[in-house]
């Protein structure tokens, strides 16, 4: 996992209010793991403010587990509602503890998002899908995509934080960039 200096960030407390003097914002999102055996624990989601090169370590509690729409694989949802300073961010790491595998990671290269000042902003849902089981059980092989589930995430946010019921939630989805290509191999994350 990332070893750079930075700040630990947890979900905002139940009675949280935005302080207009700080110009910080509330960032909403979700990380989903699909098709991976049960056994998930805490998730570490590391983002970096690119202007000052400061890492923020979002520590997300053990997730909600539910069957997916097809009912044939497990789906694990980590929701986050965190306060971060306005700015341009790069995703550095997504890693979850798991009882069966050494670690479950999502590799996102050049995935960025922007947080406006003093707002509530949804940045997207990162879906991590198992595409092949690993032979040595160190980790599954995954592919990742960014999807827009703003209605669901906003609804859950406003249920948990009723003080924001009347406030607008902006959408600034994570930018999807091409993977580094070498010898013609590559693609979207």
């Amino acid at each position: 996992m990332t070893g750079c200096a930075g700040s630990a960030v947890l979900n905002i407390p139940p009675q949280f209010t935005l302080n207009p003097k700080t110009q910080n914002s509330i960032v909403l999102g979700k990380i989903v793991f699909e098709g991976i055996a049960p056994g998930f624990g805490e998730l570490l989601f590391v983002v970096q403010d690119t202007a000052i090169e400061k890492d923020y370590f979002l520590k997300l509690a053990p997730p909600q587990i539910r069957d997916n729409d097809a009912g044939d694989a497990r789906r694990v949802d980590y929701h986050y509602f965190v306060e971060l300073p306005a700015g341009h961010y790069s995703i550095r790491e997504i890693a979850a503890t798991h009882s069966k595998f050494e670690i479950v990671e999502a590799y996102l290269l050049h995935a960025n998002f922007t947080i406006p000042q003093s707002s509530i902003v949804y940045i997207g849902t990162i879906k991590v899908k198992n595409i092949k089981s690993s032979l040595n059980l160190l980790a599954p092989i995954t592919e990742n995509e960014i999807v827009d589930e703003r209605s669901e995430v906003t609804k859950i946010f406003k249920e948990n934080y009723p003080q924001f019921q009347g406030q607008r939630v902006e959408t600034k989805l994570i930018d999807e960039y091409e993977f580094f290509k070498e010898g013609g191999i590559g693609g979207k994350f």
Side-chain angles (χ1 to χ4, degrees):
M1 294 197 184
T2 302
C4 300
S7 299
V9 179
L10 301 172
N11 276 336
I12 58 175
Q15 300 305 317
F16 181 83
T17 57
L18 276 172
N19 180 350
K21 292 180 183 178
T22 67
Q23 298 184 352
N24 286 354
S25 293
I26 299 173
V27 178
L28 319 179
K30 182 168 80 168
I31 299 171
V32 175
F33 290 90
E34 287 186 347
I36 301 171
F40 281 91
E42 184 177 77
L43 178 119
L44 180 65
F45 180 32
V46 182
V47 299
Q48 183 181 74
D49 183 328
T50 58
I52 60 174
E53 295 184 358
K54 180 178 180 179
D55 287 348
Y56 292 89
F57 300 88
L58 286 61
K59 294 183 179 185
L60 309 178
Q64 300 172 334
I65 300 171
R66 62 188 172 94
D67 286 328
N68 71 4
D69 296 336
D72 58 353
R74 300 298 280 174
R75 177 180 162 129
V76 180
D77 296 349
Y78 290 88
H79 290 88
Y80 55 91
F81 314 115
V82 298
E83 179 185 21
L84 287 173
H88 187 71
Y89 288 79
S90 174
I91 295 175
R92 307 287 289 166
E93 180 176 13
I94 299 172
T97 59
H98 194 280
S99 62
K100 183 176 178 182
F101 302 105
E102 189 173 291
I103 198 160
V104 177
E105 291 186 295
Y107 297 98
L108 299 169
L109 302 177
H110 308 293
N112 302 291
F113 59 94
T114 301
I115 300 173
Q117 294 180 352
S118 304
S119 63
I120 303 171
V121 62
Y122 168 72
I123 63 169
T125 297
I126 300 170
K127 278 193 175 180
V128 181
K129 293 188 248 180
N130 185 18
I131 57 172
K132 185 177 179 183
S133 295
S134 173
L135 298 176
N136 60 12
L137 295 182
L138 291 178
I141 298 168
T142 61
E143 68 179 7
N144 313 298
E145 68 177 321
I146 308 300
V147 295
D148 186 350
E149 297 181 343
R150 74 182 90 179
S151 296
E152 179 214 341
V153 174
T154 299
K155 180 179 179 238
I156 291 169
F157 169 72
K158 289 186 175 184
E159 286 171 357
N160 287 309
Y161 301 94
Q163 66 270 32
F164 297 109
Q165 282 294 338
Q167 294 196 17
R168 181 176 176 271
V169 175
E170 294 183 49
T171 299
K172 302 272 186 188
L173 295 179
I174 297 167
D175 295 329
E176 296 184 54
Y177 286 71
E178 292 286 318
F179 267 134
F180 172 73
K181 293 183 179 179
E182 183 175 6
I185 299 171
K188 287 205 163 199
F189 66 96

